Amino acid sequence: MRRSAALFLTLPAVLAAQPAGLDEGRLDPAWFGPAAAFQPSRTLGFQWVKPGLDLRNRTLQLRAWEAPAWVLGKREMKDRVFLRRVEDALPKALDHGLRRGLKGSLPVAAGGDVHLVARVVDAVGQADDYMAAGQVKLTFDLKLVDGDTGELLGAFHDTLQGPGPDFVSGGFERWSEQLGRLLAASAAAPAPTQAPQVAAKPLPPPPPPFDLEGALRRIEGLKRDGLLSEADYQALRKKAAEKAGSPR
């Protein structure tokens, strides 16, 4: 998709005053409703996701594609021929790409309670002169809707281009994978908040038990060597017994 630098610099004013001018007039805000405030995306063209979107315990249903909208008016025959060549591959590319991006975080099944609706809004095919065929372009809208309330949950718009229908189909499947990754983030359980772990200081080793018998032997040896008086001898024996907790 061609996006000028001026679009990014003046985006708030463009969104407020000329929403229909996004993507050279191919983005029609009326199809999405007033809730969608589009922002440019590096991987999805233009997107809007409901703040705080939570898809946990939900199931995604891919609805049948709507009829092409041709928001810029009916194109030439070459453009309609290009669309006929590529449109049958789009639902399968969307399904395959989404499942790769979701990686099982959000089930996809008929009867799901969150609906994904898609449509083509413009197509540009190759000229009959294939020596100067140039690029083909495909523009599409997708919206994520609550199946019970009809509330808009997400809105997406992009234009893909390449040298031929197969290139565009493959590009759309890769685009769908990026969309799946975005939705997977809303279907993932939030990481539990944990208090920071403080390392406990190791306890000091317990003191060795008092060796009363060894202390008494040393006291006896000092007395035999004449180094202790009788009073000192008795005082040391008493002190050793008290320290051991078993008076003698």
Side-chain angles (χ1 to χ4, degrees):
M1 182 199 309
R2 292 179 295 170
R3 307 182 185 93
S4 66
L7 173 61
F8 288 89
L9 293 175
T10 62
L11 180 64
V14 172
L15 289 172
Q18 293 181 319
L22 294 178
D23 195 14
E24 301 177 345
R26 297 182 182 91
L27 200 166
D28 178 14
W31 189 71
F32 299 96
F38 284 95
Q39 298 288 339
S41 165
R42 293 179 61 184
T43 56
L44 298 174
F46 293 92
Q47 71 176 57
W48 173 83
V49 176
K50 177 186 174 183
L53 178 63
D54 187 351
L55 296 178
R56 288 175 295 169
N57 303 316
R58 308 293 295 268
T59 300
L60 184 64
Q61 178 183 358
L62 307 186
R63 302 295 300 272
W65 283 59
E66 294 188 357
W70 300 109
V71 296
L72 297 182
K74 283 288 185 180
R75 289 284 192 172
E76 301 174 29
M77 178 59 70
K78 67 180 179 61
D79 305 324
R80 297 197 293 271
V81 169
F82 161 61
L83 178 57
R84 284 198 295 268
R85 289 186 60 187
V86 76
E87 62 182 344
D88 288 344
L90 297 179
K92 184 178 294 185
L94 177 61
D95 188 11
H96 290 177
L98 270 175
R99 291 177 188 272
R100 279 204 307 271
L102 289 170
K103 295 183 178 179
S105 61
L106 179 65
V108 179
D113 58 341
V114 176
H115 298 169
L116 187 61
V117 187
R119 69 173 186 171
V120 172
V121 297
D122 192 42
V124 178
Q126 293 172 320
D128 293 337
D129 181 4
Y130 284 93
M131 295 298 293
Q135 301 278 298
V136 295
K137 294 183 180 180
L138 182 74
T139 306
F140 50 89
D141 293 333
L142 288 92
K143 59 184 175 182
L144 195 68
V145 180
D146 189 296
D148 297 326
T149 65
E151 178 188 10
L152 184 68
L153 304 177
F156 310 93
H157 170 95
D158 204 357
T159 293
L160 302 180
Q161 65 180 33
D166 292 341
F167 186 93
V168 170
S169 297
F172 179 66
E173 186 166 330
R174 291 188 293 273
W175 185 96
S176 301
E177 183 175 353
Q178 294 294 334
L179 176 60
R181 292 176 181 173
L182 175 68
L183 299 181
S186 298
T193 303
Q194 294 182 346
Q197 299 294 322
V198 179
K201 294 183 179 180
L203 295 176
F210 180 67
D211 184 7
L212 178 60
E213 298 297 333
L216 293 177
R217 284 196 299 271
R218 289 192 292 274
I219 294 170
E220 293 288 345
L222 293 172
K223 183 182 179 183
R224 283 196 305 269
D225 294 340
L227 299 176
L228 292 177
S229 66
E230 182 64 26
D232 291 337
Y233 169 70
Q234 294 299 333
L236 287 176
R237 282 182 57 87
K238 181 179 179 183
K239 187 174 181 179
E242 290 175 350
K243 188 172 183 180
S246 56
R248 295 197 169 196

